[in-house]
Amino acid sequence: MKKYKWGIIGTGKIAHTFATALKHCENAELCAVASRTDEKAKDFAEEFGFSEYYGNYKDFAEKSDAEIVYIATPMASHFNDAWLCLENGKNVLCEKSLTLNTAQAEKLIAFAKDKALFFMEAMWMKCRPVYRKMKEWIASGLIGEIEYIKADFSNYIPYNENDRLFRADCGGGCLLDLGIYPITLTHDLLGMPDDITSSAHMMYGIDMSNSIIFRYKNGAFSSMDNGFEIQLRNNAVISGTKGLITLGNWFHCTDEGILFDRSGNEIERFVRKDDINGYEYEIDEVHRCLDVGFRESPLVPHSATIAVMKIMDECRAQWGMKFPNE
C-alpha cells in the first residue's frame, strides 16, 4: 500500500477535524502543517504527529515534502493558498467553497491542469456512503424521474463580528458556507437550472439567510433555505414519479438514507456509521485517484465545481452581494 505525504495549510477547527481522520488513515503520512505563526503550527504538529511545521505558507509550499495539501483557510484565502501550492508542484484538496467566484475557480483548475497536478474541491458530501447509495437508487430508476427536491441547511449561530462566517473580507455569509450543500445536491441530480429565483436577508455585507428555488423546463424544481438565523432540521427529500428518498437530519453528512415507493411505503433503508468522523471518505477518494493517476475525481469533477460556483455567482448578483476582495 503506497503512503502519501499529507500537508495542511491552516490550523482552525476544520483542520483539526480533517487531521483527526487523516491520522487514522493507514496510507496517509502526516508530513507537514503550516499556520500563520510558528507557535500555532508547532502546537498543531505536536497534537497530531506531523513531522514538519512552518510559521508561514510560503516556506511550507517551497520547502515541505508534502505531496498532497489540504487547504483549510477561510474562503477568501483559498485562491492564493491553492495557487501557491500548485505553483510549487503539490497536489491540492481545497476546502469548499473552492473560491469566492467562478473566475477564480476556473483559473485555479486551469493552472492545476497546466501543472499536471491533482486538484479537488473538498465536497465531502459526495464521497460519503449514504450519498453514493442515494445516487445508486436514482440511477437504478427506483424513484423514476425526479420531480422535486427539498434540502435545507440553516443553523442558528449567534453573531460574532470576529467569526469568519460573518466577515465579508473572509468570504463569509451562509451561501458559500452552507447553501453550497443543497445547491450541489440539486445540481448533481438535476443539472443546471433553467431559472433561479432567490432572495437573501443581508447584514454586515453578507447573507445572513437565503431562500433559493431552481426550476427546470421539464417541470422539476428544487427549494432550499439556508442561514445562520434560524435552526432547521437540515434534512433532504428527493421525490420522483415512482418514489422518494429521504436523507436524515444534516443531510450532507447523514448516516441514513431511506427509499420509499410513491405511496410512502419503506422499500429499503441504508445505514452507514462513520469509521472515524466522515472525512475519511474524501481522503480515501484522493488516495484512489492518486493511485490510478487521475488528476480530478469522478465523484467531485471540476465541471461540477465550476457549475455550482456559477449558480452561487448568480444568486449573489440577484442580491447585490459582492465580496470586498473580489
Short mmCIF file of all heavy atoms in Angstrom, two decimals, residues 139-200:
data_model
loop_
_atom_site.label_atom_id
_atom_site.label_comp_id
_atom_site.label_asym_id
_atom_site.label_seq_id
_atom_site.Cartn_x
_atom_site.Cartn_y
_atom_site.Cartn_z
N ALA A 139 -30.03 6.15 -10.03
CA ALA A 139 -29.52 5.64 -11.31
C ALA A 139 -30.20 4.33 -11.71
O ALA A 139 -30.35 4.04 -12.90
CB ALA A 139 -28.01 5.43 -11.23
N SER A 140 -30.66 3.57 -10.71
CA SER A 140 -31.35 2.30 -10.98
C SER A 140 -32.83 2.51 -11.33
O SER A 140 -33.55 1.54 -11.59
CB SER A 140 -31.25 1.38 -9.76
OG SER A 140 -29.90 1.06 -9.49
N GLY A 141 -33.28 3.75 -11.33
CA GLY A 141 -34.66 4.06 -11.70
C GLY A 141 -35.68 3.80 -10.61
O GLY A 141 -36.89 3.77 -10.88
N LEU A 142 -35.23 3.63 -9.36
CA LEU A 142 -36.14 3.22 -8.30
C LEU A 142 -37.12 4.31 -7.87
O LEU A 142 -38.16 4.01 -7.29
CB LEU A 142 -35.34 2.73 -7.08
CG LEU A 142 -34.51 1.47 -7.33
CD1 LEU A 142 -33.68 1.11 -6.10
CD2 LEU A 142 -35.41 0.30 -7.72
N ILE A 143 -36.81 5.57 -8.15
CA ILE A 143 -37.79 6.63 -7.85
C ILE A 143 -38.29 7.30 -9.13
O ILE A 143 -39.03 8.29 -9.07
CB ILE A 143 -37.25 7.69 -6.87
CG1 ILE A 143 -36.10 8.51 -7.49
CG2 ILE A 143 -36.83 7.06 -5.55
CD1 ILE A 143 -35.75 9.76 -6.68
N GLY A 144 -37.91 6.76 -10.28
CA GLY A 144 -38.36 7.33 -11.55
C GLY A 144 -37.67 8.64 -11.84
O GLY A 144 -36.53 8.88 -11.43
N GLU A 145 -38.39 9.51 -12.57
CA GLU A 145 -37.85 10.83 -12.89
C GLU A 145 -38.04 11.76 -11.71
O GLU A 145 -39.13 11.85 -11.13
CB GLU A 145 -38.56 11.41 -14.12
CG GLU A 145 -38.33 10.62 -15.40
CD GLU A 145 -36.87 10.61 -15.82
OE1 GLU A 145 -36.22 11.68 -15.74
OE2 GLU A 145 -36.38 9.53 -16.21
N ILE A 146 -36.98 12.48 -11.34
CA ILE A 146 -37.06 13.40 -10.20
C ILE A 146 -37.96 14.58 -10.55
O ILE A 146 -37.81 15.23 -11.58
CB ILE A 146 -35.66 13.90 -9.80
CG1 ILE A 146 -34.80 12.73 -9.33
CG2 ILE A 146 -35.76 14.95 -8.69
CD1 ILE A 146 -33.35 13.09 -9.07
N GLU A 147 -38.92 14.84 -9.65
CA GLU A 147 -39.84 15.96 -9.83
C GLU A 147 -39.57 17.10 -8.85
O GLU A 147 -39.84 18.26 -9.15
CB GLU A 147 -41.28 15.48 -9.62
CG GLU A 147 -41.73 14.44 -10.64
CD GLU A 147 -43.14 13.94 -10.38
OE1 GLU A 147 -43.43 13.54 -9.23
OE2 GLU A 147 -43.96 13.99 -11.33
N TYR A 148 -39.03 16.77 -7.68
CA TYR A 148 -38.91 17.79 -6.63
C TYR A 148 -37.79 17.42 -5.67
O TYR A 148 -37.62 16.26 -5.31
CB TYR A 148 -40.23 17.90 -5.87
CG TYR A 148 -40.20 18.80 -4.64
CD1 TYR A 148 -40.00 20.16 -4.77
CD2 TYR A 148 -40.37 18.27 -3.36
CE1 TYR A 148 -39.99 20.99 -3.64
CE2 TYR A 148 -40.36 19.09 -2.23
CZ TYR A 148 -40.16 20.45 -2.39
OH TYR A 148 -40.15 21.26 -1.28
N ILE A 149 -37.03 18.43 -5.27
CA ILE A 149 -36.01 18.26 -4.22
C ILE A 149 -36.22 19.36 -3.18
O ILE A 149 -36.36 20.53 -3.53
CB ILE A 149 -34.59 18.37 -4.79
CG1 ILE A 149 -34.32 17.23 -5.79
CG2 ILE A 149 -33.54 18.33 -3.67
CD1 ILE A 149 -32.99 17.36 -6.53
N LYS A 150 -36.23 18.98 -1.92
CA LYS A 150 -36.27 19.93 -0.82
C LYS A 150 -35.06 19.66 0.07
O LYS A 150 -34.91 18.55 0.59
CB LYS A 150 -37.56 19.79 -0.01
CG LYS A 150 -37.61 20.68 1.25
CD LYS A 150 -37.52 22.15 0.91
CE LYS A 150 -37.69 23.02 2.17
NZ LYS A 150 -37.41 24.45 1.88
N ALA A 151 -34.19 20.64 0.20
CA ALA A 151 -33.00 20.47 1.03
C ALA A 151 -32.67 21.80 1.69
O ALA A 151 -32.64 22.84 1.02
CB ALA A 151 -31.83 20.00 0.18
N ASP A 152 -32.47 21.76 3.00
CA ASP A 152 -32.18 22.98 3.76
C ASP A 152 -30.87 22.83 4.52
O ASP A 152 -30.46 21.72 4.87
CB ASP A 152 -33.28 23.27 4.78
CG ASP A 152 -34.65 23.42 4.15
OD1 ASP A 152 -34.73 24.05 3.08
OD2 ASP A 152 -35.62 22.90 4.72
N PHE A 153 -30.25 23.97 4.79
CA PHE A 153 -29.09 23.97 5.68
C PHE A 153 -29.07 25.32 6.41
O PHE A 153 -28.50 26.30 5.94
CB PHE A 153 -27.80 23.76 4.90
CG PHE A 153 -26.67 23.21 5.75
CD1 PHE A 153 -25.56 22.64 5.15
CD2 PHE A 153 -26.70 23.26 7.14
CE1 PHE A 153 -24.51 22.12 5.90
CE2 PHE A 153 -25.67 22.75 7.91
CZ PHE A 153 -24.57 22.18 7.29
N SER A 154 -29.73 25.34 7.56
CA SER A 154 -29.80 26.56 8.35
C SER A 154 -29.54 26.23 9.81
O SER A 154 -30.24 25.41 10.41
CB SER A 154 -31.18 27.21 8.20
OG SER A 154 -31.25 28.40 8.96
N ASN A 155 -28.52 26.84 10.38
CA ASN A 155 -28.16 26.66 11.79
C ASN A 155 -28.24 28.01 12.50
O ASN A 155 -27.78 29.02 11.95
CB ASN A 155 -26.74 26.13 11.93
CG ASN A 155 -26.57 24.75 11.33
OD1 ASN A 155 -27.50 23.96 11.31
ND2 ASN A 155 -25.37 24.46 10.85
N TYR A 156 -28.77 28.00 13.70
CA TYR A 156 -28.74 29.24 14.49
C TYR A 156 -27.33 29.42 15.05
O TYR A 156 -26.84 28.59 15.82
CB TYR A 156 -29.75 29.21 15.64
CG TYR A 156 -29.58 30.41 16.56
CD1 TYR A 156 -29.85 31.69 16.08
CD2 TYR A 156 -29.09 30.25 17.85
CE1 TYR A 156 -29.66 32.80 16.88
CE2 TYR A 156 -28.89 31.36 18.66
CZ TYR A 156 -29.18 32.64 18.18
OH TYR A 156 -28.97 33.74 18.97
N ILE A 157 -26.67 30.49 14.63
CA ILE A 157 -25.32 30.80 15.08
C ILE A 157 -25.31 32.25 15.55
O ILE A 157 -25.52 33.16 14.76
CB ILE A 157 -24.29 30.61 13.94
CG1 ILE A 157 -24.36 29.18 13.39
CG2 ILE A 157 -22.88 30.92 14.45
CD1 ILE A 157 -23.46 28.95 12.19
N PRO A 158 -25.10 32.49 16.84
CA PRO A 158 -25.08 33.87 17.36
C PRO A 158 -24.02 34.70 16.64
O PRO A 158 -22.92 34.22 16.36
CB PRO A 158 -24.74 33.69 18.85
CG PRO A 158 -25.13 32.29 19.17
CD PRO A 158 -24.89 31.50 17.92
N TYR A 159 -24.37 35.94 16.36
CA TYR A 159 -23.46 36.82 15.63
C TYR A 159 -22.18 37.08 16.42
O TYR A 159 -22.21 37.36 17.62
CB TYR A 159 -24.15 38.15 15.31
CG TYR A 159 -23.22 39.13 14.64
CD1 TYR A 159 -22.81 38.95 13.33
CD2 TYR A 159 -22.74 40.24 15.33
CE1 TYR A 159 -21.96 39.84 12.71
CE2 TYR A 159 -21.88 41.15 14.72
CZ TYR A 159 -21.50 40.94 13.42
OH TYR A 159 -20.64 41.83 12.80
N ASN A 160 -21.07 36.98 15.72
CA ASN A 160 -19.76 37.27 16.29
C ASN A 160 -18.96 37.98 15.22
O ASN A 160 -18.62 37.39 14.20
CB ASN A 160 -19.07 35.99 16.73
CG ASN A 160 -17.67 36.22 17.30
OD1 ASN A 160 -17.11 37.31 17.19
ND2 ASN A 160 -17.10 35.19 17.91
N GLU A 161 -18.67 39.24 15.45
CA GLU A 161 -18.02 40.04 14.41
C GLU A 161 -16.63 39.52 14.04
O GLU A 161 -16.11 39.83 12.96
CB GLU A 161 -17.91 41.50 14.86
CG GLU A 161 -17.03 41.72 16.08
CD GLU A 161 -16.94 43.18 16.48
OE1 GLU A 161 -17.63 44.00 15.85
OE2 GLU A 161 -16.16 43.50 17.40
N ASN A 162 -16.03 38.71 14.89
CA ASN A 162 -14.70 38.17 14.61
C ASN A 162 -14.73 36.81 13.92
O ASN A 162 -13.70 36.34 13.45
CB ASN A 162 -13.89 38.06 15.91
CG ASN A 162 -13.64 39.41 16.54
OD1 ASN A 162 -13.28 40.37 15.86
ND2 ASN A 162 -13.85 39.50 17.85
N ASP A 163 -15.90 36.19 13.89
CA ASP A 163 -16.04 34.88 13.26
C ASP A 163 -16.00 35.03 11.75
O ASP A 163 -16.69 35.89 11.18
CB ASP A 163 -17.36 34.24 13.70
CG ASP A 163 -17.48 32.77 13.34
OD1 ASP A 163 -17.02 32.38 12.23
OD2 ASP A 163 -18.05 32.01 14.13
N ARG A 164 -15.22 34.18 11.06
CA ARG A 164 -15.11 34.26 9.60
C ARG A 164 -16.45 34.16 8.91
O ARG A 164 -16.65 34.72 7.83
CB ARG A 164 -14.19 33.16 9.08
CG ARG A 164 -14.75 31.75 9.28
CD ARG A 164 -14.05 30.68 8.48
NE ARG A 164 -14.68 29.38 8.63
CZ ARG A 164 -15.71 28.95 7.93
NH1 ARG A 164 -16.25 29.73 7.00
NH2 ARG A 164 -16.23 27.76 8.13
N LEU A 165 -17.43 33.46 9.53
CA LEU A 165 -18.75 33.29 8.92
C LEU A 165 -19.45 34.62 8.70
O LEU A 165 -20.27 34.76 7.78
CB LEU A 165 -19.63 32.40 9.79
CG LEU A 165 -19.18 30.95 9.98
CD1 LEU A 165 -20.09 30.25 10.99
CD2 LEU A 165 -19.18 30.21 8.65
N PHE A 166 -19.15 35.60 9.55
CA PHE A 166 -19.85 36.88 9.50
C PHE A 166 -18.98 38.01 8.92
O PHE A 166 -19.37 39.17 8.97
CB PHE A 166 -20.32 37.26 10.91
CG PHE A 166 -21.26 36.25 11.52
CD1 PHE A 166 -20.80 35.34 12.45
CD2 PHE A 166 -22.59 36.20 11.13
CE1 PHE A 166 -21.67 34.40 13.01
CE2 PHE A 166 -23.46 35.27 11.68
CZ PHE A 166 -22.99 34.36 12.62
N ARG A 167 -17.84 37.66 8.40
CA ARG A 167 -16.91 38.66 7.86
C ARG A 167 -16.85 38.59 6.33
O ARG A 167 -16.43 37.57 5.77
CB ARG A 167 -15.52 38.47 8.45
CG ARG A 167 -15.42 38.79 9.91
CD ARG A 167 -14.04 38.50 10.46
NE ARG A 167 -12.97 39.12 9.66
CZ ARG A 167 -11.67 38.99 9.93
NH1 ARG A 167 -11.28 38.23 10.94
NH2 ARG A 167 -10.78 39.59 9.16
N ALA A 168 -17.27 39.67 5.69
CA ALA A 168 -17.25 39.69 4.23
C ALA A 168 -15.83 39.56 3.69
O ALA A 168 -15.61 38.95 2.64
CB ALA A 168 -17.88 41.00 3.73
N ASP A 169 -14.84 40.10 4.42
CA ASP A 169 -13.46 40.03 3.95
C ASP A 169 -12.90 38.62 4.00
O ASP A 169 -11.86 38.34 3.40
CB ASP A 169 -12.58 40.99 4.74
CG ASP A 169 -12.49 40.64 6.22
OD1 ASP A 169 -13.51 40.23 6.80
OD2 ASP A 169 -11.40 40.79 6.80
N CYS A 170 -13.58 37.72 4.71
CA CYS A 170 -13.16 36.31 4.77
C CYS A 170 -13.97 35.42 3.82
O CYS A 170 -13.77 34.20 3.79
CB CYS A 170 -13.32 35.78 6.20
SG CYS A 170 -12.13 36.43 7.37
N GLY A 171 -14.87 36.04 3.06
CA GLY A 171 -15.75 35.24 2.20
C GLY A 171 -16.92 34.68 2.97
O GLY A 171 -17.44 33.61 2.66
N GLY A 172 -17.36 35.43 4.00
CA GLY A 172 -18.43 34.96 4.87
C GLY A 172 -19.81 35.00 4.23
O GLY A 172 -19.99 35.35 3.07
N GLY A 173 -20.81 34.64 5.04
CA GLY A 173 -22.18 34.50 4.56
C GLY A 173 -22.57 33.05 4.49
O GLY A 173 -21.71 32.16 4.40
N CYS A 174 -23.86 32.80 4.52
CA CYS A 174 -24.31 31.40 4.57
C CYS A 174 -24.32 30.72 3.20
O CYS A 174 -24.32 29.50 3.13
CB CYS A 174 -25.69 31.31 5.23
SG CYS A 174 -27.02 32.13 4.32
N LEU A 175 -24.30 31.48 2.10
CA LEU A 175 -24.36 30.86 0.78
C LEU A 175 -23.14 29.96 0.53
O LEU A 175 -23.28 28.77 0.23
CB LEU A 175 -24.45 31.92 -0.31
CG LEU A 175 -24.46 31.39 -1.75
CD1 LEU A 175 -25.75 30.60 -2.02
CD2 LEU A 175 -24.31 32.52 -2.75
N LEU A 176 -21.95 30.53 0.66
CA LEU A 176 -20.74 29.78 0.35
C LEU A 176 -20.41 28.75 1.43
O LEU A 176 -19.70 27.78 1.16
CB LEU A 176 -19.55 30.73 0.16
CG LEU A 176 -19.29 31.19 -1.28
CD1 LEU A 176 -20.47 31.99 -1.82
CD2 LEU A 176 -18.01 32.03 -1.35
N ASP A 177 -20.92 28.96 2.64
CA ASP A 177 -20.59 28.03 3.72
C ASP A 177 -21.61 26.91 3.87
O ASP A 177 -21.24 25.75 4.06
CB ASP A 177 -20.49 28.80 5.05
CG ASP A 177 -19.79 27.98 6.12
OD1 ASP A 177 -18.56 27.83 6.03
OD2 ASP A 177 -20.47 27.47 7.03
N LEU A 178 -22.91 27.23 3.77
CA LEU A 178 -23.96 26.24 3.97
C LEU A 178 -24.77 25.97 2.70
O LEU A 178 -25.04 24.82 2.35
CB LEU A 178 -24.91 26.70 5.09
CG LEU A 178 -24.28 26.97 6.46
CD1 LEU A 178 -25.37 27.40 7.45
CD2 LEU A 178 -23.54 25.76 6.97
N GLY A 179 -25.16 27.03 2.02
CA GLY A 179 -26.01 26.89 0.84
C GLY A 179 -25.39 26.06 -0.26
O GLY A 179 -26.10 25.45 -1.07
N ILE A 180 -24.09 25.99 -0.28
CA ILE A 180 -23.40 25.20 -1.31
C ILE A 180 -23.83 23.74 -1.26
O ILE A 180 -23.85 23.06 -2.30
CB ILE A 180 -21.87 25.33 -1.15
CG1 ILE A 180 -21.17 24.64 -2.33
CG2 ILE A 180 -21.38 24.81 0.19
CD1 ILE A 180 -19.67 24.86 -2.38
N TYR A 181 -24.21 23.22 -0.09
CA TYR A 181 -24.58 21.81 0.00
C TYR A 181 -25.90 21.50 -0.71
O TYR A 181 -25.94 20.60 -1.56
CB TYR A 181 -24.63 21.36 1.46
CG TYR A 181 -23.27 21.19 2.09
CD1 TYR A 181 -22.78 22.10 3.01
CD2 TYR A 181 -22.46 20.11 1.75
CE1 TYR A 181 -21.52 21.94 3.59
CE2 TYR A 181 -21.21 19.94 2.33
CZ TYR A 181 -20.75 20.86 3.25
OH TYR A 181 -19.50 20.70 3.81
N PRO A 182 -27.01 22.17 -0.40
CA PRO A 182 -28.23 21.87 -1.16
C PRO A 182 -28.12 22.23 -2.64
O PRO A 182 -28.71 21.56 -3.49
CB PRO A 182 -29.31 22.70 -0.46
CG PRO A 182 -28.61 23.67 0.40
CD PRO A 182 -27.28 23.07 0.74
N ILE A 183 -27.35 23.26 -2.95
CA ILE A 183 -27.13 23.62 -4.35
C ILE A 183 -26.38 22.50 -5.07
O ILE A 183 -26.74 22.08 -6.18
CB ILE A 183 -26.38 24.95 -4.48
CG1 ILE A 183 -27.28 26.11 -4.05
CG2 ILE A 183 -25.89 25.17 -5.91
CD1 ILE A 183 -26.57 27.44 -3.95
N THR A 184 -25.34 21.98 -4.42
CA THR A 184 -24.57 20.89 -5.01
C THR A 184 -25.42 19.64 -5.17
O THR A 184 -25.37 18.96 -6.21
CB THR A 184 -23.34 20.58 -4.13
OG1 THR A 184 -22.46 21.71 -4.13
CG2 THR A 184 -22.59 19.36 -4.64
N LEU A 185 -26.23 19.32 -4.18
CA LEU A 185 -27.13 18.17 -4.27
C LEU A 185 -28.05 18.30 -5.47
O LEU A 185 -28.18 17.38 -6.28
CB LEU A 185 -27.95 18.06 -2.98
CG LEU A 185 -29.10 17.04 -3.00
CD1 LEU A 185 -28.57 15.62 -3.03
CD2 LEU A 185 -30.02 17.25 -1.79
N THR A 186 -28.71 19.44 -5.59
CA THR A 186 -29.66 19.65 -6.68
C THR A 186 -28.97 19.61 -8.03
O THR A 186 -29.44 18.97 -8.98
CB THR A 186 -30.41 20.97 -6.51
OG1 THR A 186 -31.13 20.95 -5.28
CG2 THR A 186 -31.39 21.20 -7.65
N HIS A 187 -27.83 20.30 -8.14
CA HIS A 187 -27.11 20.30 -9.41
C HIS A 187 -26.66 18.89 -9.78
O HIS A 187 -26.72 18.49 -10.95
CB HIS A 187 -25.90 21.23 -9.36
CG HIS A 187 -25.03 21.13 -10.57
ND1 HIS A 187 -23.92 20.30 -10.66
CD2 HIS A 187 -25.14 21.71 -11.80
CE1 HIS A 187 -23.39 20.39 -11.85
NE2 HIS A 187 -24.10 21.24 -12.56
N ASP A 188 -26.22 18.12 -8.80
CA ASP A 188 -25.74 16.77 -9.07
C ASP A 188 -26.84 15.87 -9.62
O ASP A 188 -26.58 15.00 -10.44
CB ASP A 188 -25.17 16.17 -7.77
CG ASP A 188 -24.25 14.99 -8.01
OD1 ASP A 188 -23.69 14.89 -9.12
OD2 ASP A 188 -24.07 14.17 -7.10
N LEU A 189 -28.07 16.11 -9.18
CA LEU A 189 -29.19 15.26 -9.58
C LEU A 189 -29.98 15.79 -10.76
O LEU A 189 -30.53 15.01 -11.54
CB LEU A 189 -30.13 15.04 -8.39
CG LEU A 189 -29.50 14.40 -7.14
CD1 LEU A 189 -30.56 14.21 -6.06
CD2 LEU A 189 -28.82 13.08 -7.47
N LEU A 190 -30.05 17.11 -10.90
CA LEU A 190 -30.89 17.69 -11.95
C LEU A 190 -30.14 18.55 -12.96
O LEU A 190 -30.69 18.94 -13.98
CB LEU A 190 -32.00 18.55 -11.31
CG LEU A 190 -33.09 17.79 -10.54
CD1 LEU A 190 -34.03 18.78 -9.86
CD2 LEU A 190 -33.88 16.89 -11.48
N GLY A 191 -28.88 18.86 -12.67
CA GLY A 191 -28.11 19.68 -13.59
C GLY A 191 -28.35 21.16 -13.39
O GLY A 191 -28.96 21.60 -12.41
N MET A 192 -27.89 21.96 -14.35
CA MET A 192 -28.03 23.41 -14.26
C MET A 192 -29.49 23.81 -14.39
O MET A 192 -30.19 23.35 -15.31
CB MET A 192 -27.23 24.10 -15.36
CG MET A 192 -25.73 24.08 -15.13
SD MET A 192 -25.20 25.03 -13.67
CE MET A 192 -25.33 26.71 -14.28
N PRO A 193 -29.99 24.63 -13.49
CA PRO A 193 -31.39 25.04 -13.57
C PRO A 193 -31.63 25.98 -14.74
O PRO A 193 -30.74 26.69 -15.19
CB PRO A 193 -31.61 25.77 -12.24
CG PRO A 193 -30.26 26.26 -11.85
CD PRO A 193 -29.29 25.22 -12.33
N ASP A 194 -32.86 25.96 -15.23
CA ASP A 194 -33.24 26.89 -16.29
C ASP A 194 -33.65 28.24 -15.73
O ASP A 194 -33.61 29.25 -16.44
CB ASP A 194 -34.39 26.29 -17.11
CG ASP A 194 -33.97 25.02 -17.82
OD1 ASP A 194 -33.05 25.08 -18.66
OD2 ASP A 194 -34.54 23.94 -17.54
N ASP A 195 -34.02 28.25 -14.47
CA ASP A 195 -34.40 29.51 -13.82
C ASP A 195 -34.00 29.46 -12.36
O ASP A 195 -34.18 28.43 -11.68
CB ASP A 195 -35.91 29.74 -13.94
CG ASP A 195 -36.34 31.03 -13.28
OD1 ASP A 195 -36.06 32.11 -13.84
OD2 ASP A 195 -36.93 30.98 -12.18
N ILE A 196 -33.45 30.55 -11.86
CA ILE A 196 -33.06 30.67 -10.45
C ILE A 196 -33.79 31.87 -9.86
O ILE A 196 -33.68 32.99 -10.37
CB ILE A 196 -31.55 30.87 -10.28
CG1 ILE A 196 -30.78 29.69 -10.86
CG2 ILE A 196 -31.20 31.06 -8.80
CD1 ILE A 196 -29.27 29.90 -10.90
N THR A 197 -34.54 31.63 -8.80
CA THR A 197 -35.20 32.72 -8.06
C THR A 197 -34.67 32.67 -6.63
O THR A 197 -34.76 31.63 -5.97
CB THR A 197 -36.73 32.55 -8.03
OG1 THR A 197 -37.22 32.49 -9.37
CG2 THR A 197 -37.39 33.71 -7.31
N SER A 198 -34.11 33.78 -6.16
CA SER A 198 -33.53 33.75 -4.83
C SER A 198 -33.70 35.10 -4.14
O SER A 198 -33.87 36.14 -4.78
CB SER A 198 -32.04 33.39 -4.90
OG SER A 198 -31.30 34.42 -5.52
N SER A 199 -33.66 35.05 -2.82
CA SER A 199 -33.68 36.27 -2.02
C SER A 199 -32.84 36.03 -0.79
O SER A 199 -32.61 34.89 -0.38
CB SER A 199 -35.12 36.64 -1.62
OG SER A 199 -35.69 35.62 -0.82
N ALA A 200 -32.36 37.12 -0.18
CA ALA A 200 -31.49 36.99 0.98
C ALA A 200 -31.74 38.11 1.98
O ALA A 200 -32.13 39.22 1.60
CB ALA A 200 -30.03 37.00 0.55
#
